[in-house]
């Protein structure tokens, strides 16, 4: 295996790692930004695991995670309450960050995130149907969310295709319309459902990391481990497609097949995230854009968007837990509030010449 410094086509410094079986090349600035974001997420995660009704010292938490803790109630709290909550938030944020990066690239629009297009609403509809009609366990809710998200994606894709081509503003506008219909459908399910199930579903719709168990962690974690590498493989052709479909075809890229595969990956990630933590706004919208501003990279920021999404959600959860006067704010409501302000800022900048 060899490690070499290199300079990219645009003159930016980077490095390359190569062996007989694989090679990896990356720019220095995006790699550094990703590493810093990962460090921030880990520090925030450690701090979040120390606070609560059972406060712990950071060194005690580290000792328990390394299997050297004193045992007893402290170990039970860390391993079976706080660690599942933390991992759920980390992988949900990562899944939403990658999903947002894929949809913004496919739609060529900064507003092209799954929560705005309507795919998250479709996933929520599937999960709500499971909760209200069957009162399912977390794995069943996650499966229903995936099916709801895929069904919504198929409908939006079919309605947005024109002359065999999809994407762009048609995809965004069609998704907004379908999402509005599904929002009304979700409200109808809450009204017509059993009172106890409706209350549970309404709490789930707020988006929360409370009472997360390993059953919530496993679906979204496995989804990230399988789908994120595939999304990283799609990053280069998607970056070329952003220059135009004709240019991409001339370079040998199967445009519509690549676009369909990217939509499929993005929907799966958004649906799994929604099934594990409920609808969480803002992360998919902001993570890719913030990463682009920090890294100054023109490609599709799959890995860095995943780390940024995880960092944002872990920080939001930390802030929610540290609120004064024991105020409890669901994570979905907090990210939605921040996301609304961020969206207004984007629209304001869009009017500037």
């Amino acid at each position: 295996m060899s490690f070499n410094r290199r300079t990219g086509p645009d003159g930016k410094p980077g490095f390359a790692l190569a062996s007989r079986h694989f090679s990896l090349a990356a720019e220095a600035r995006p790699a550094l930004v990703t590493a810093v974001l990962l460090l921030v997420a880990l520090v925030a995660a450690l701090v979040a695991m120390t606070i609560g009704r059972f406060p712990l010292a950071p060194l005690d938490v580290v000792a328990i995670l390394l299997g050297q803790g004193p045992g007893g109630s402290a170990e039970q709290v860390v391993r079976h309450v706080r660690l599942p909550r933390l991992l759920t938030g980390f992988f949900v944020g990562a899944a939403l960050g990658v999903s947002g990066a894929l949809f913004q690239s496919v739609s060529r629009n900064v507003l092209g995130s799954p929560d705005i297009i309507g795919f998250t609403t479709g996933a929520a509809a599937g999960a709500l149907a499971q909760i209200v009609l069957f009162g399912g366990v977390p794995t069943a809710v996650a499966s229903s969310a995936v099916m709801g998200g895929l069904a919504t994606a198929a409908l939006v894709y079919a309605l947005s295709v024109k002359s065999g081509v999809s994407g762009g503003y048609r995809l965004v506008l069609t998704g907004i319309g379908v999402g509005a219909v599904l929002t009304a459908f979700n409200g109808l399910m809450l009204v017509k459902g059993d009172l106890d199930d409706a209350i549970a579903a309404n709490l789930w719709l707020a988006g929360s990391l409370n009472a997360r168990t390993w059953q919530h962690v496993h679906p979204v974690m496995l989804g990230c481990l399988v789908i994120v590498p595939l999304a990283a493989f799609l990053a280069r052709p998607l970056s070329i497609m952003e220059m135009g479909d004709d240019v991409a075809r001339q370079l040998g890229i199967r445009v519509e097949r690549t676009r369909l595969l990217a939509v499929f990956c993005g929907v799966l990630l958004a649906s799994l995230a929604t099934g594990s933590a409920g609808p969480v706004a803002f992360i998919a919208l902001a993570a890719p854009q913030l990463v682009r501003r920090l890294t100054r990279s023109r490609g599709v920021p799959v890995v860095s968007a995943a780390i940024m999404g995880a960092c944002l959600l872990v920080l939001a959860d930390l802030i929610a837990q540290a609120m004064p006067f024991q105020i409890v704010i669901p994570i979905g409501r907090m990210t939605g509030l921040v996301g609304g302000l961020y969206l207004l800022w984007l629209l304001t900048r869009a009017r500037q010449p």
Side-chain angles (χ1 to χ4, degrees):
M1 182 176 294
S2 61
F3 177 85
N4 300 306
R5 294 182 179 179
R6 73 176 187 93
T7 301
D10 52 0
K12 296 181 179 179
F15 62 88
L17 182 66
S19 69
R20 295 179 57 184
H21 302 289
F22 76 95
S23 62
L24 174 67
E27 295 179 5
R29 185 182 179 91
L32 179 60
V33 169
T34 303
V36 171
L37 289 173
L38 181 59
L39 179 61
V40 172
L42 293 176
V43 172
L46 179 61
V47 175
M49 293 183 69
T50 64
I51 61 179
R53 294 185 178 180
F54 194 87
L56 294 169
L59 293 180
D60 292 337
V61 173
V62 174
I64 292 172
L65 294 177
L66 295 178
Q68 301 173 359
S73 57
E75 187 163 346
Q76 292 295 321
V77 167
V78 170
R79 290 188 177 274
H80 300 291
V81 178
R82 296 182 184 176
L83 185 58
R85 175 192 180 112
L86 170 66
L87 291 178
T88 300
F90 186 91
F91 285 108
V92 164
L96 291 175
V98 176
S99 180
L102 292 175
F103 281 121
Q104 288 177 14
S105 176
V106 167
S107 64
R108 301 171 193 170
N109 193 318
V110 295
L111 300 180
S113 65
D115 43 354
I116 292 180
I117 294 179
F119 296 145
T120 300
T121 308
L128 278 180
Q130 179 69 36
I131 294 172
V132 173
L133 300 178
F134 306 104
V137 297
T139 52
V141 172
S143 300
S144 299
V146 170
M147 289 187 290
L150 290 177
T152 304
L155 178 61
V156 171
Y157 185 84
L159 293 176
S160 64
V161 170
K162 184 178 181 182
S163 302
V165 178
S166 64
Y169 282 97
R170 286 198 311 275
L171 182 67
V172 176
L173 295 177
T174 303
I176 291 174
V178 172
V181 174
L182 289 173
T183 299
F185 176 71
N186 292 346
L188 182 62
M189 280 196 294
L190 292 176
V191 172
K192 296 299 183 181
D194 180 76
L195 181 59
D196 292 336
D197 292 336
I199 292 174
N202 199 32
L203 291 175
W204 180 86
L205 277 175
S208 177
L209 296 178
N210 294 328
R212 298 303 97 171
T213 66
W214 289 105
Q215 286 184 308
H216 296 92
V217 176
H218 292 151
V220 67
M221 180 178 68
L222 292 176
C224 286
L225 294 178
V226 173
I227 301 172
V228 171
L230 178 58
F233 177 77
L234 294 172
R236 184 175 180 275
L238 286 174
S239 299
I240 297 175
M241 287 167 55
E242 291 180 0
M243 295 186 293
D245 291 355
D246 294 336
V247 174
R249 290 191 184 96
Q250 292 175 1
L251 294 175
I253 296 175
R254 298 183 179 182
V255 173
E256 203 58 29
R257 189 179 74 172
T258 302
R259 183 178 289 123
L260 186 60
L261 186 57
V263 169
F264 179 73
C265 292
V267 170
L268 279 181
L269 289 171
S271 301
L272 288 170
T274 303
S276 294
V280 178
F282 170 65
I283 303 298
L285 172 68
Q289 298 175 39
L290 293 176
V291 159
R292 285 179 182 269
R293 294 176 183 275
L294 291 174
T295 62
R296 301 174 187 172
S297 178
R298 297 182 178 179
V300 180
V302 172
V303 177
S304 53
I307 302 301
M308 173 61 85
C311 183
L312 289 176
L313 197 53
V314 170
L315 286 172
D317 184 47
L318 175 60
I319 295 172
Q321 292 187 68
M323 292 291 289
F325 310 112
Q326 296 184 342
I327 298 175
V328 179
I329 300 179
I331 193 70
R333 295 291 184 250
M334 175 168 288
T335 57
L337 175 62
V338 178
L341 297 175
Y342 182 76
L343 180 59
L344 290 175
W345 179 78
L346 278 180
L347 294 175
T348 302
R349 286 184 60 87
R351 298 193 191 101
Q352 296 176 358

